[in-house]
C-alpha cells in the first residue's frame, strides 16, 4: 500500500511523522493504520508529529482529534507534537483548541509525556 | 495596474479535496511574494482552506479566486470563493461558532471571518454562495 506517513516503533510507542500535506484520503488511511498498529503492537502510546505541516484547518484538526479519541478507546494515548507557531496561532483564531488532545512541543517532550503516564 | 500584473492573481477550480490543498498552497505563495509575514501567510492559507473545503463539502464544485488588490495605497489579498450549489438557508446561524450541517466543528465561516479583515457573504437558496474576504497588509 502506498502509505505516505511512516509509522515507526520505539519501545512500546508508535511514532507517525507527517512529512507533507495530506489529502483527506491520506488522513483517513493514517487514522486506520494507527489504530491497526496500536492493536498489533499493543502500543502504550502514539506520537503524531505534525511539525512539517504549515496549515491545520478545522478538518485536519478534527481528524487528529478523532484519531486521539479512537486511540484512547483502545486504552492507549496519543500525543500531537510539533504544531508550528504560525499554525497554532491560526488554529486559535479559527477557534480550534483541541481541549481533549494531548500536545507537546517536540518528539522528546512527547515521549516524556507518555512515559510520565 | 502594473503592481497587480507583476504579482499575479489566480483562479482555481475546486472539486476535490486535492484542490483544497493546491488552492491554499497557491494562496500562500502569492501572499509570500507580496511580502506578507509568515503568520499572515498561514492565516491566509487557513482561510482559503476553510472556504475551499466548504465548496467541496456543500456545493460539490466551485472556484477560488485569489487576487492582490490595492485600496487607498494599501495592498491586500482578496479571496473570492464562489459556487452554484444549494446556498445557505440561514446565514446568521451558519456564521455562528459551532453551527454545522456537516457534523463538523462549524468553525470554517466564523473562523475565516476572524482571520480576514473584510468578510462578506452573499447567498441565495438554490443559487449558491459567494464569499469575498480581504486580508490587508501590515495590520
Ligand atoms: N458553500 C456553501 N454552500 C452551502 N452551504 C454552506 C457553504 N459553506 C458553508 N455552508 C453551511 O454553513 C455551515 C457552517 O459552515 P462552516 O462554518 O464552514 O462549518 P462546517 O463546515 O464545519 O459545518 C455548514 O455546515 C453548511 O451548512
Ligand atoms: Mg467548513
Amino acid at each position: 500500500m502506498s502509505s505516505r506517513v511512516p509509522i515507526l516503533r520505539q519501545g512500546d510507542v508508535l511514532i507517525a511523522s507527517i512529512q507533507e500535506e495530506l489529502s483527506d484520503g491520506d488522513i483517513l488511511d493514517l487514522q486506520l493504520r494507527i489504530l491497526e498498529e496500536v492493536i498489533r503492537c499493543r502500543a502504550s502510546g502514539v506520537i503524531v508529529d505534525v511539525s512539517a505541516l504549515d496549515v491545520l484547518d478545522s478538518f485536519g484538526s478534527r481528524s487528529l482529534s478523532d484519531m486521539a479519541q479512537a486511540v484512547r478507546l483502545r486504552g492507549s494515548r496519543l500525543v500531537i507534537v510539533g504544531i508550528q507557531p504560525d499554525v497554532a496561532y491560526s488554529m486559535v483564531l479559527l477557534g480550534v483548541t483541541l481541549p481533549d488532545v494531548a500536545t507537546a512541543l517536540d518528539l522528546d517532550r512527547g515521549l516524556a509525556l507518555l512515559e510520565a503516564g | 495596474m502594473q503592481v497587480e500584473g507583476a504579482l499575479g492573481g489566480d483562479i482555481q477550480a475546486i472539486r476535490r479535496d486535492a484542490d483544497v490543498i493546491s488552492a491554499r498552497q497557491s494562496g500562500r505563495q502569492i501572499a509570500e511574494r507580496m511580502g506578507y509575514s509568515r503568520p499572515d501567510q498561514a492565516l491566509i492559507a487557513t482561510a482559503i482552506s476553510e472556504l475551499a473545503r466548504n465548496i467541496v463539502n456543500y456545493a460539490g464544485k466551485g472556484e477560488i479566486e485569489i487576487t492582490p488588490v490595492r485600496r487607498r495605497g494599501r495592498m491586500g489579498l482578496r479571496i473570492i470563493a464562489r459556487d452554484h450549489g444549494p446556498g445557505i438557508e440561514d446565514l446568521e446561524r451558519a456564521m455562528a461558532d459551532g453551527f454545522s450541517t456537516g457534523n463538523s466543528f462549524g468553525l470554517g465561516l466564523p473562523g475565516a471571518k476572524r482571520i480576514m479583515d473584510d468578510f462578506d457573504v452573499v447567498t441565495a437558496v438554490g443559487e449558491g454562495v459567494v464569499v469575498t474576504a480581504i486580508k490587508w497588509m501590515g495590520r
Side-chain angles (χ1 to χ4, degrees):
Chain A
M1 196 164 69
S2 64
S3 294
R4 300 175 66 189
V5 181
I7 301 179
L8 306 176
R9 192 171 163 184
Q10 181 172 322
D12 60 353
V13 173
L14 299 174
I15 303 173
S17 303
I18 299 178
Q19 317 272 347
E20 55 188 332
E21 293 216 68
L22 300 179
S23 70
D24 298 7
D26 296 328
I27 289 177
L28 295 176
D29 173 65
L30 177 63
Q31 274 180 341
L32 266 180
R33 282 172 49 237
I34 282 183
L35 261 191
E36 279 168 12
E37 288 297 288
V38 163
I39 293 166
R40 200 173 64 83
C41 307
R42 299 171 183 277
S44 67
V46 181
I47 290 183
V48 178
D49 185 346
V50 298
S51 53
L53 293 185
D54 56 16
V55 174
L56 249 176
D57 65 4
S58 64
F59 174 84
S61 306
R62 169 73 190 243
S63 309
L64 289 175
S65 161
D66 288 351
M67 234 181 267
Q69 312 307 332
V71 165
R72 193 174 56 198
L73 288 174
R74 282 299 308 183
S76 182
R77 287 185 307 145
L78 185 146
V79 181
I80 295 168
V81 304
I83 296 179
Q84 292 298 308
D86 298 344
V87 173
Y89 178 54
S90 305
M91 287 170 73
V92 169
L93 272 196
L94 263 189
V96 175
T97 50
L98 298 183
D100 301 326
V101 182
T103 56
L105 194 58
D106 55 29
L107 198 55
D108 286 345
R109 280 170 234 229
L111 285 167
L113 190 69
L114 286 174
E115 272 163 26
Chain B
M1 188 163 50
Q2 201 189 0
V3 180
E4 294 194 7
L7 293 166
D10 186 53
I11 296 189
Q12 297 222 8
I14 306 293
R15 295 163 189 280
R16 313 174 281 122
D17 65 277
D19 300 330
V20 175
I21 295 175
S22 60
R24 73 182 180 220
Q25 282 174 341
S26 80
R28 177 188 278 278
Q29 276 163 18
I30 294 169
E32 187 182 1
R33 258 183 277 147
M34 288 174 71
Y36 277 93
S37 67
R38 290 220 17 129
D40 277 353
Q41 292 170 32
L43 290 173
I44 288 166
T46 304
I48 291 172
S49 193
E50 294 296 337
L51 298 177
R53 189 171 294 288
N54 281 351
I55 291 176
V56 174
N57 286 356
Y58 306 114
K61 61 182 195 317
E63 61 187 24
I64 298 268
E65 188 180 323
I66 306 166
T67 320
V69 293
R70 186 194 282 272
R71 190 187 294 164
R72 289 188 216 104
R74 188 163 199 198
M75 292 300 296
L77 190 58
R78 186 184 66 200
I79 302 162
I80 300 179
R82 195 183 285 118
D83 68 65
H84 300 286
I88 300 174
E89 213 171 280
D90 188 340
L91 184 57
E92 205 178 316
R93 281 181 83 197
M95 288 302 302
D97 277 345
F99 174 81
S100 174
T101 60
N103 188 29
S104 49
F105 280 152
L107 294 171
L109 288 175
K113 179 171 180 179
R114 277 189 290 271
I115 283 176
M116 303 296 285
D117 295 314
D118 299 359
F119 194 87
D120 174 63
V121 185
V122 177
T123 182
V125 172
E127 285 175 27
V129 178
V130 181
V131 180
T132 305
I134 302 179
K135 182 98 190 149
W136 296 104
M137 262 179 116
R139 267 206 192 170

